[in-house]
Amino acid sequence: MLTDYHLHLRPDELNATVATYFTPANVERYREVAEERGIAELGVSEHVHRFRQALEVWRHPFWRENAVDDLDEYCRFVREETDLKLGIEMDFVPGAEDRTANLLEARDFDYVVGSVHFLRDEAVDMEEYGVWDPARPDRGAEQIWRSYFRTLGEAARSGLFDILAHPDLVKVWGPERPQPEGDLRRYYELAIEGIAESGIAVEVSTAGLRKRAGEIYPAPAFLEMCLETGAPVALSSDAHRPQEVGAEYEQALELLERLGVGELCVFERRARRLEPIGAGVR
Ligand SMILES: [Zn+2]
Ligand SMILES: [Zn+2]
């Protein structure tokens, strides 16, 4: 069985409103593409920062701009008006673990996708509030990668999340912000202990193929290290529009097959089981 658990029902722009996108008709568009591609199991994981309740966890200016909608209305819509699994994409905010747990535990999510988009107050994957600054000597790729993977390991170890999202997101910019030289396993190493100890599922995401990185998250060498610790895999596209559901899964499945992965995680009310991949994409 194929899954796509990291789905957004709308683009990231603020003018993509609930009224337009959180509708059964829009969900049907996602379902149709999924069906064409042989993906049976779909779940939605909207960005927490689009909801007012996120400000109970963190008051970053980017979140304050975005926190417009009601989280409980989103949960109600997904549960009552769709057949999608109910997830959320939650940032790891160091120091806010208790507040994060409170927000998550108050709702009956099927799974929580945990993401590292920020290193302290600075964004890894956005220009706005961006961490990348060539003018600052302490902001080279080396430092940013080290900080990113350390934080990723802490995110896993926090135990707050079921799935570790786009595990090497820091490469998102591709050649525009070159990765450090040499064998990158010295960075992956910084996260691997947290991944091993937590038993968190590792996301294999085709979103990286649509970005300047031009590569699946995580890189094969990192995925191999995760698999060696026994980490199970959650497969997703991080679609923000219907056409992106299951996008380029052929490449992801080829990678999984090459590394000997025959099962994917399926979640229900935050319990995990493994299902055989089976025949693959159409
Ligand atoms: Zn993300
Ligand atoms: Zn996402």
Side-chain angles (χ1 to χ4, degrees):
M1 175 158 72
L2 295 180
T3 63
D4 200 339
Y5 275 143
H6 189 154
L7 296 179
H8 301 271
L9 292 176
R10 54 181 172 175
D12 286 336
E13 286 72 39
L14 262 171
N15 61 8
T17 62
V18 161
T20 307
Y21 289 92
F22 290 7
T23 66
N26 189 40
V27 170
E28 191 46 38
R29 286 177 212 121
Y30 282 72
R31 268 282 169 216
E32 275 167 23
V33 176
E35 205 166 304
E36 277 167 28
R37 297 182 176 161
I39 303 163
E41 176 80 356
L42 290 189
V44 63
S45 57
E46 288 299 323
H47 287 290
V48 74
H49 65 246
R50 302 293 296 263
F51 303 107
R52 288 193 294 278
Q53 288 90 336
L55 301 180
E56 295 162 13
V57 174
W58 203 30
R59 301 190 60 81
H60 189 283
F62 177 71
W63 283 32
R64 282 190 298 206
E65 283 160 38
N66 276 270
V68 173
D69 302 320
D70 183 61
L71 178 59
D72 294 304
E73 175 50 25
Y74 158 69
C75 295
R76 189 208 59 78
F77 165 71
V78 175
R79 282 281 180 235
E80 293 178 14
E81 298 190 49
T82 81
D83 59 356
L84 304 175
K85 288 282 173 68
L86 174 60
I88 184 100
E89 181 170 9
M90 181 79 219
D91 284 68
F92 175 58
V93 183
E97 287 86 349
D98 289 348
R99 300 197 297 276
T100 303
N102 289 342
L103 180 141
L104 297 174
E105 283 160 17
R107 281 124 196 139
D108 67 338
F109 294 114
D110 286 310
Y111 58 88
V112 176
V113 177
S115 297
V116 175
H117 299 117
F118 287 87
L119 303 175
R120 296 178 186 273
D121 288 340
E122 296 175 326
V124 172
D125 62 337
M126 294 191 302
E127 293 284 3
E128 218 190 349
Y129 308 108
V131 68
W132 302 89
D133 184 354
R136 289 172 59 183
D138 62 334
R139 278 286 181 276
E142 183 83 17
Q143 286 87 349
I144 292 171
W145 277 56
R146 221 184 294 132
S147 167
Y148 172 81
F149 284 99
R150 243 188 236 133
T151 309
L152 188 74
E154 285 168 32
R157 195 180 271 115
S158 75
L160 291 164
F161 314 117
D162 302 298
I163 300 172
L164 196 58
H166 36 62
D168 56 356
L169 177 70
V170 69
K171 75 184 175 190
V172 61
W173 301 97
E176 197 176 314
R177 280 156 188 169
Q179 59 190 35
E181 285 176 16
D183 189 340
L184 297 172
R185 281 178 291 195
R186 67 189 189 276
Y187 300 98
Y188 309 152
E189 208 55 69
L190 300 170
I192 211 72
E193 208 175 275
I195 292 170
E197 283 173 14
S198 63
I200 195 167
V202 168
E203 182 177 78
V204 168
S205 170
T206 56
L209 293 166
R210 304 194 296 273
K211 301 288 163 71
R212 273 157 281 191
E215 189 186 81
I216 286 171
Y217 304 117
F222 188 17
L223 181 56
E224 256 184 289
M225 288 168 67
C226 296
L227 294 172
E228 274 163 26
T229 75
V233 169
L235 177 61
S236 290
S237 68
D238 207 346
H240 284 68
R241 40 188 65 75
Q243 317 84 273
E244 291 169 355
V245 176
E248 307 195 70
Y249 266 22
E250 301 81 0
Q251 286 197 53
L253 291 169
E254 198 186 315
L255 172 67
L256 292 175
E257 196 180 334
R258 184 154 56 81
L259 299 182
V261 178
E263 293 176 312
L264 296 175
C265 292
V266 172
F267 292 91
E268 202 161 351
R269 310 267 166 171
R270 307 206 64 183
R272 176 173 88 199
R273 63 174 201 275
L274 290 168
E275 289 275 349
I277 292 177
V281 277
R282 283 183 208 135

